[in-house]
Amino acid sequence: MSQSPAFVLNVLETPEDPEGSQEPSPYDESEVHDSFHQLIQEQSRWVAEEGLELQQRQPETGALGASGSDHETMLGPEGAPVYSMATLRILASMPSRTIGRSRGAIISQYYSRTVKLRRRAGRPQLRDMGRSARPSLRLYDLELDSAVLEEEEKRGLLVKELQGLTAAQRDHMLRGMPLSLAEKRGLREESRPPRGKHRAQWHRGLLSCCDQLRDSCVLASHNLGLALLSGLQALMPWHYALKRIGGRFGSSVLSYFLFLKTLLAFNTLLLPPLLAFIVGVQAAFPPAPTGPVPAFTGLELLTGGGYFTHSVMYYGYYSNATLNQPCASPLDGSQCTPEAGSLPYSMPLAYLFTLGAAFFITCITLVYSMSRSFGESYRVGSTSGVHAITVFCSWDYKVTQRWATRLQHDNIRTQLKELLAEWQSRQHRRSACGQLRRVAVLGLVWLLCLGTTLGCTLAVYTFSELMIKQSPVSAEREAVLLLLPLVVCLLNLGGPYLFRILAALERHDSPVLEVYVAICRNLILKMVTLGILCYHWLGRRVGTLKDQCWENFVGQELYRLMVMDFIFTLLDTLLGELVWRLFSEKQLKRKGKPEFDIAGNVLELIYGQTLTWLGVLFSPLLPAMQIIKLLLLFYIKKASLMANCQAPRRPWKASHMSTVFISLLCFPSFLGAAVFLCYAVWQVKPSSTCGPFRTLDTMYEAGKVWVRRLEKAGPRVSWLPWIHRYLVEDTFPIYLVSALLLAVIYLNIQVVKGQRKVICLLKEQISNEGEDKIFLINKLQRVYERKERSRAHEEAARASCGLRG
Amino acid sequence: MPELKDNPFRQRIAQVFSEDGDGHMTLDNFLDMFSVMSEMAPRDLKAYYAFKIYDFNNDDYICAWDLEQTVTKLTRGELSTEEVSLICEKVLDEADGDHDGRLSLEDFQNMILRAPDFLSTFHIRI
């Protein structure tokens, strides 16, 4: 990579110091690190040959002298002596000063980067880096060869190197270059392989031909993807809305709306398989009606019962037979005409497998997006350096409105003040008494919150038992069924406000911790309530609705919960934002608008999505309802935000928050729904009067029956029963997979620990090199001073000789 | 340009992206600026230009004076002098790798690597 040129330091033309100083000259000192020694030698020889750098550097050195604090800080608190011109010349041409300064330097830097990219891929081995290697030198790989290339030659070299890369790598390299667009365009045009050269490249071998084909395919698909994306963006009606929200309220509030978009995407992913394989097929082959269909009254939209009970919406409508069968056994006693080319469609199997596949795809997508979000937002060592990050990364360039920018100024000022206060408070340690008091208050508040949660849980349980006693509910009193969802939603609405009041008692050191604690408490309340409801449905209702269709009932309960949740979200928006703003403006005469509660709103979204996932087994059209609900919610929340709210005052790291949101969506929400569904499929006996699994002991048995039938069918498909017997029914593979997963997690943790250690070592190395640099510059300065003094002595001696002589 | 009307660093942005360094931008410079500030620009490129923007005296280092200017512009001059200098001191403590009292491009890029928010804040939506 870097050669080690041999050259002479031409400073040492004079013999050793006449004053007999104890200090050894740089050339004699064996302690000097190789890299700087060679560097100084080479640079000084170059300077002696060229001497042109001085003109270019004059204004810079002048500027350096003017902002003299630079040099002073470099040497320490005391003022530094004025450097001689030779020292300044060498300082000015140090590699760290030429990086990025001129186009020539950039081009040569990227040329060497491209060379490295072509020669080896991947991270450089640590053992290749010598102890003396300065990390930045290795990265930028200066021109250590003596021939100073013209800019045009450098550009030609760069173009040649770029031609050797693949198209994707070339694009990536060009995109990262800090040159102007016109130059980048020129480089890209020149480095694209021209058509005439095809025959010449054919001689290089088949391998490069395949490479080219692959490159052009990748490029074409990439272009197509970009075109589709831009087309999609043009179609997306929310692009301008999101821009307005980001411009007025910043990235943190925008993260809520982006999360809403993500949820919409998940539901849109879930719905088509259900529509195609379950709902559509059953709608095409409707079963015979079992009884009189009740008339449509408006109440069905709220309760989900009545007219909707015997429709595609609920589990009970689906038949348990094979549809579209060229019939061998007439089920309903009528004559059946076998149709040629008809495809038998087993409804129970389709129901089970479609749901399983849809959930599996959702799980994979969730885990993938969560891991990608983690990868983007967490870095090793990202908790330190908070001041630097606040100063450089907290100004949001998206914000464009005048009052919003004023708010940003205020936010950043508050943030910096809080950081300073935190640092100062850490300097003065709190007394033991104060610590104890803080811990006691914290414990008390947590106890009160958990007590409130327990109280809410008991209330829901008692009410659900009451509702069981009320049943069976006649058709006229269906509105009574709305009471349980009403109670649950009221508790979900009131709980967070109570927690906020209790949280005002405790005082946290960091505001981010407050937010996390609030999210935690709200989440516990919601999840425990849902848990009680799940027990109520699968544990109690199954028993009490023995001869009726309990799955329909559970589906209707979830529908009611979703509708009530939506109504209460609207109420919360209306009361919490609109009415509060009017009240505070008119009555309290306060100017400030209410803050947009990001955490609370996001938890609402997660709750709604959990309900959808819980209910999809019993009501396959629930995702469609959720999509409509999310669309309406977007517009309502946006309107309320624009009219009534202001951005939150607390610092919100938007990227961390979106990671937290999506991991909350994955872990309590999706996992809980998956556990509930697994229990329902594996353990609960389906009702015997309705649905696709009415004759079986568990829903999963449909799959087992099919596998048994396959076994009997013949040896051609014997691999499927084999897989089923040895991989699915046997528990050993599950243990194996879990053990492998744990091993992979452990390895990753160790790798991250190792990387942290390496970062510490490299940081030490950097600071050592910095000290070395200062030491060497001082030495240089002393050498030059000595030289000046000896020259002055000589001239004085000569002058006095000349006078005498 | 409405996107930059109230940005405290608008003069520096204009100076950095203009060809002659004094704020007069041609169409190419304009395109450069929006290309760097767009969503697709890689992190290193953004870090490079952010470094140039925050380097007020154009000496390829962010020294203490540059930091003071940045903090003052960020807070619209509402922090006291001691607070500003304390903040600058802490920033140099945290980010200066080779302890020469100022931030070089590598120090800046190193710090940006640890800040995942940078990509979303150093971004103008068109």
Side-chain angles (χ1 to χ4, degrees):
Chain A
M1 248 195 315
S2 61
Q3 325 129 339
S4 45
F7 34 62
V8 185
L9 179 66
N10 67 347
V11 171
L12 267 195
E13 279 154 1
T14 59
E16 47 199 87
D17 204 288
E19 291 170 352
S21 147
Q22 299 292 354
E23 306 237 10
S25 66
Y27 200 71
D28 290 338
E29 212 168 25
S30 55
E31 250 73 50
V32 172
H33 275 200
D34 291 345
S35 56
F36 270 101
H37 182 200
Q38 288 164 358
L39 197 62
I40 292 173
Q41 288 180 333
E42 184 260 337
Q43 290 293 344
S44 54
R45 189 186 62 136
W46 184 25
V47 156
E49 283 172 8
E50 301 277 346
L52 289 172
E53 287 281 308
L54 187 56
Q55 264 69 37
Q56 201 184 350
R57 294 295 174 212
Q58 272 300 13
E60 322 308 338
T61 51
L64 281 172
S67 58
S69 54
D70 290 350
H71 280 296
E72 285 170 326
T73 54
M74 205 160 66
L75 274 194
E78 58 271 1
V82 176
Y83 287 129
S84 68
M85 279 320 293
T87 320
L88 282 176
R89 223 180 290 150
I90 289 185
L91 279 181
S93 46
M94 273 200 304
S96 58
R97 302 234 182 163
T98 57
I99 289 166
R101 178 177 287 278
S102 62
R103 271 182 70 243
I106 294 177
I107 286 179
S108 55
Q109 171 195 332
Y110 272 87
Y111 160 64
S112 49
R113 261 197 206 174
T114 323
V115 165
K116 268 208 289 270
L117 188 65
R118 276 193 347 112
R119 291 202 195 134
R120 83 166 145 63
R123 215 175 300 175
Q125 298 285 335
L126 271 178
R127 57 166 177 261
D128 291 341
M129 292 198 190
R131 269 187 71 246
S132 61
R134 190 164 163 224
S136 60
L137 275 184
R138 289 285 159 182
L139 192 57
Y140 288 110
D141 199 25
L142 357 135
E143 284 171 24
L144 286 181
D145 47 334
S146 49
V148 177
L149 293 173
E150 291 297 327
E151 201 175 288
E152 285 311 309
E153 296 179 40
K154 285 189 223 168
R155 196 167 184 277
L157 281 174
L158 178 63
V159 167
K160 238 185 268 174
E161 285 299 329
L162 281 176
Q163 278 172 351
L165 294 177
T166 62
Q169 282 175 325
R170 180 171 44 229
D171 274 345
H172 185 76
M173 183 68 67
L174 277 173
R175 213 176 274 171
M177 282 194 202
L179 298 169
S180 69
L181 266 185
E183 287 181 26
K184 285 201 247 194
R185 237 180 260 144
L187 279 172
R188 192 176 65 169
E189 283 306 315
E190 285 177 33
S191 56
R192 203 171 270 174
R195 306 223 169 203
K197 284 224 182 109
H198 268 303
R199 237 170 265 141
Q201 284 175 342
W202 173 256
H203 291 306
R204 290 218 196 121
L206 271 170
L207 214 60
S208 70
C209 181
C210 290
D211 233 6
Q212 256 200 331
L213 192 67
R214 192 185 45 146
D215 285 348
S216 45
C217 281
V218 163
L219 204 65
S221 60
H222 188 62
N223 283 339
L224 186 68
L226 278 178
L228 272 177
L229 208 67
S230 59
L232 227 77
Q233 266 197 343
L235 284 179
M236 272 282 220
W238 291 350
H239 178 74
Y240 180 60
L242 289 174
K243 181 183 172 193
R244 276 182 74 204
I245 293 173
R248 281 208 193 182
F249 298 96
S251 310
S252 50
V253 173
L254 193 61
S255 66
Y256 166 78
F257 289 92
L258 290 175
F259 186 67
L260 210 158
K261 244 175 80 165
T262 316
L263 280 183
L264 199 65
F266 273 118
N267 281 305
T268 322
L269 192 69
L270 190 60
L271 190 63
L274 294 175
L275 278 181
F277 294 112
I278 302 182
V279 179
V281 173
Q282 190 64 65
F285 297 93
T290 45
V293 177
F296 180 82
T297 63
L299 201 60
E300 270 90 22
L301 289 174
L302 282 181
T303 62
Y307 181 72
F308 285 150
T309 319
H310 299 288
S311 65
V312 221
M313 236 176 108
Y314 294 109
Y315 170 97
Y317 187 74
Y318 295 88
S319 81
N320 69 333
T322 311
L323 302 170
N324 201 17
Q325 195 181 21
C327 54
S329 51
L331 280 167
D332 29 322
S334 55
Q335 286 278 8
C336 55
T337 52
E339 297 150 30
S342 57
L343 204 62
Y345 193 84
S346 166
M347 198 59 196
L349 276 181
Y351 204 90
L352 194 66
F353 286 152
T354 313
L355 274 172
F359 258 76
F360 187 67
I361 294 174
T362 312
C363 181
I364 302 272
T365 320
L366 254 181
V367 170
Y368 172 71
S369 56
M370 190 175 73
S371 70
R372 207 177 52 157
S373 193
F374 254 103
E376 278 170 7
S377 68
Y378 281 101
R379 297 265 179 271
V380 177
S382 67
T383 44
S384 62
V386 67
H387 289 86
I389 290 176
T390 311
V391 168
F392 289 121
C393 305
S394 55
W395 180 265
D396 197 349
Y397 284 72
K398 279 198 282 285
V399 175
T400 50
Q401 299 260 332
R402 178 165 293 247
W403 56 269
T405 43
R406 201 151 294 172
L407 197 67
Q408 257 207 82
H409 282 296
D410 290 336
N411 278 354
I412 293 179
R413 188 196 57 199
T414 319
Q415 227 174 305
L416 289 171
K417 277 207 168 132
E418 275 176 4
L419 283 172
L420 281 179
E422 199 181 331
W423 179 72
Q424 272 165 357
S425 79
R426 225 179 287 154
Q427 304 291 92
H428 318 299
R429 291 247 151 246
R430 214 174 295 196
S431 63
C433 192
Q435 287 268 46
L436 208 66
R437 198 154 42 101
R438 237 186 87 238
V439 167
V441 169
L442 210 70
L444 184 69
V445 174
W446 263 105
L447 221 65
L448 282 173
C449 290
L450 287 175
T452 317
T453 311
L454 200 66
C456 293
T457 317
L458 277 175
V460 171
Y461 179 72
T462 325
F463 209 80
S464 65
E465 291 294 315
L466 204 72
M467 293 301 293
I468 288 186
K469 288 205 194 74
Q470 285 276 342
S471 69
V473 177
S474 60
E476 291 87 40
R477 294 184 62 230
E478 279 218 341
V480 174
L481 291 169
L482 284 174
L483 279 177
L484 182 60
L486 198 76
V487 166
V488 170
C489 289
L490 266 175
L491 290 173
N492 274 335
L493 186 68
Y497 284 113
L498 189 64
F499 291 153
R500 219 188 289 180
I501 295 173
L502 287 174
L505 288 175
E506 63 189 10
R507 235 159 292 146
H508 282 282
D509 276 338
S510 82
V512 184
L513 195 63
E514 269 185 51
V515 172
Y516 279 128
V517 162
I519 290 181
C520 206
R521 288 179 186 152
N522 287 343
L523 196 69
I524 292 176
L525 174 68
K526 289 195 157 73
M527 290 299 141
V528 167
T529 321
L530 268 184
I532 287 287
L533 282 174
C534 289
Y535 163 73
H536 166 71
W537 293 324
L538 284 188
R540 303 277 289 126
R541 281 290 181 180
V542 174
T544 54
L545 289 174
K546 261 230 169 329
D547 296 321
Q548 300 158 39
C549 207
W550 64 266
E551 291 98 344
N552 263 11
F553 184 78
V554 174
Q556 284 166 359
E557 283 268 279
L558 278 161
Y559 175 92
R560 284 191 282 264
L561 257 178
M562 268 185 72
V563 171
M564 276 289 135
D565 185 51
F566 182 58
I567 293 176
F568 270 81
T569 313
L570 290 182
L571 265 178
D572 188 20
T573 312
L574 212 63
L575 290 174
E577 293 174 7
L578 177 64
V579 172
W580 184 249
R581 173 181 75 99
L582 292 173
F583 179 70
S584 70
E585 271 181 11
K586 303 275 165 54
Q587 295 295 113
L588 303 175
K589 302 282 185 223
R590 255 191 293 177
K591 277 292 266 191
K593 294 182 176 175
E595 276 181 26
F596 186 75
D597 181 16
I598 300 177
N601 282 306
V602 166
L603 280 179
E604 278 290 329
L605 285 179
I606 294 179
Y607 181 73
Q609 189 60 40
T610 317
L611 289 177
T612 312
W613 280 330
L614 283 175
V616 94
L617 177 64
F618 307 109
S619 168
L621 278 182
L622 222 51
M625 278 198 50
Q626 173 78 349
I627 289 177
I628 297 173
K629 182 176 142 183
L630 286 174
L631 284 173
L632 286 174
L633 210 59
F634 182 89
Y635 290 108
I636 293 171
K637 283 286 177 189
K638 183 172 87 85
S640 170
L641 177 76
M642 296 290 192
N644 302 326
C645 298
Q646 66 175 6
R649 257 177 276 262
R650 291 293 181 209
W652 272 85
K653 288 206 178 113
S655 61
H656 276 194
M657 278 297 130
S658 44
T659 311
V660 165
F661 296 159
I662 205 144
S663 37
L664 281 180
L665 188 67
C666 190
F667 280 124
S669 167
F670 183 77
L671 203 67
V675 163
F676 173 78
L677 283 178
C678 285
Y679 183 77
V681 165
W682 253 289
Q683 296 288 341
V684 184
K685 182 167 180 351
S687 65
S688 49
T689 52
C690 63
F693 304 106
R694 52 189 100 157
T695 50
L696 305 165
D697 272 336
T698 65
M699 295 187 198
Y700 184 65
E701 243 188 65
K704 272 202 245 183
V705 162
W706 179 62
V707 169
R708 301 277 180 272
R709 226 185 309 151
L710 273 184
E711 269 178 356
K712 289 195 208 112
R716 263 190 314 166
V717 269
S718 60
W719 54 273
L720 204 59
W722 184 89
I723 289 178
H724 184 260
R725 189 176 304 162
Y726 291 108
L727 290 183
V728 177
E729 286 193 335
D730 200 3
T731 49
F732 178 70
I734 297 179
Y735 290 136
L736 192 67
V737 165
S738 321
L740 274 174
L741 205 66
L742 283 172
V744 164
I745 292 175
Y746 173 75
L747 278 173
N748 273 320
I749 292 177
Q750 293 303 316
V751 163
V752 167
K753 270 199 199 158
Q755 282 175 345
R756 273 213 188 100
K757 279 204 195 120
V758 164
I759 287 176
C760 281
L761 284 174
L762 287 176
K763 273 199 187 142
E764 269 181 45
Q765 204 172 320
I766 292 176
S767 81
N768 284 341
E769 298 281 352
E771 283 175 28
D772 288 347
K773 180 170 92 176
I774 293 173
F775 171 80
L776 288 171
I777 289 171
N778 287 339
K779 276 270 185 268
L780 247 187
Q781 176 62 15
R782 265 188 285 250
V783 164
Y784 280 131
E785 274 178 2
R786 240 178 283 140
K787 195 172 156 201
E788 286 296 319
R789 256 179 279 149
S790 64
R791 197 183 296 153
H793 273 276
E794 269 182 30
E795 281 179 8
R798 222 177 287 140
S800 61
C801 276
L803 277 176
R804 270 192 244 123
Chain B
M1 203 190 331
E3 279 88 357
L4 289 185
K5 192 163 44 86
D6 292 305
N7 197 314
F9 300 109
R10 56 185 179 277
Q11 270 167 350
R12 280 300 302 160
I13 294 177
Q15 279 167 7
V16 160
F17 284 102
S18 61
E19 250 165 31
D20 45 8
D22 66 352
H24 298 112
M25 302 211 301
T26 66
L27 177 66
D28 276 339
N29 299 137
F30 194 74
L31 283 175
D32 276 339
M33 183 184 83
F34 272 108
S35 134
V36 167
M37 305 291 277
S38 76
E39 219 164 10
M40 312 270 291
R43 183 190 296 264
D44 280 341
L45 190 65
K46 286 196 192 228
Y48 175 82
Y49 280 102
F51 181 78
K52 286 183 101 165
I53 287 175
Y54 294 129
D55 179 16
F56 282 78
N57 51 9
N58 282 323
D59 64 347
D60 284 342
Y61 285 101
I62 295 184
C63 58
W65 183 77
D66 292 329
L67 277 175
E68 277 169 24
Q69 291 293 304
T70 310
V71 173
T72 314
K73 278 208 193 294
L74 270 180
T75 56
R76 267 194 329 162
E78 284 168 13
L79 283 180
S80 69
T81 340
E82 306 93 56
E83 286 172 335
V84 171
S85 56
L86 204 59
I87 289 172
C88 296
E89 209 181 281
K90 296 206 75 54
V91 170
L92 284 173
D93 271 338
E94 284 166 2
D96 191 8
D98 51 2
H99 302 297
D100 60 354
R102 53 209 172 153
L103 302 180
S104 63
L105 180 62
E106 293 100 3
D107 292 331
F108 190 78
Q109 275 176 338
N110 210 8
M111 186 207 50
I112 290 295
L113 272 180
R114 282 185 272 139
D117 280 315
F118 178 69
L119 280 180
S120 69
T121 54
F122 199 73
H123 165 221
I124 294 182
R125 262 182 197 255
I126 340 172

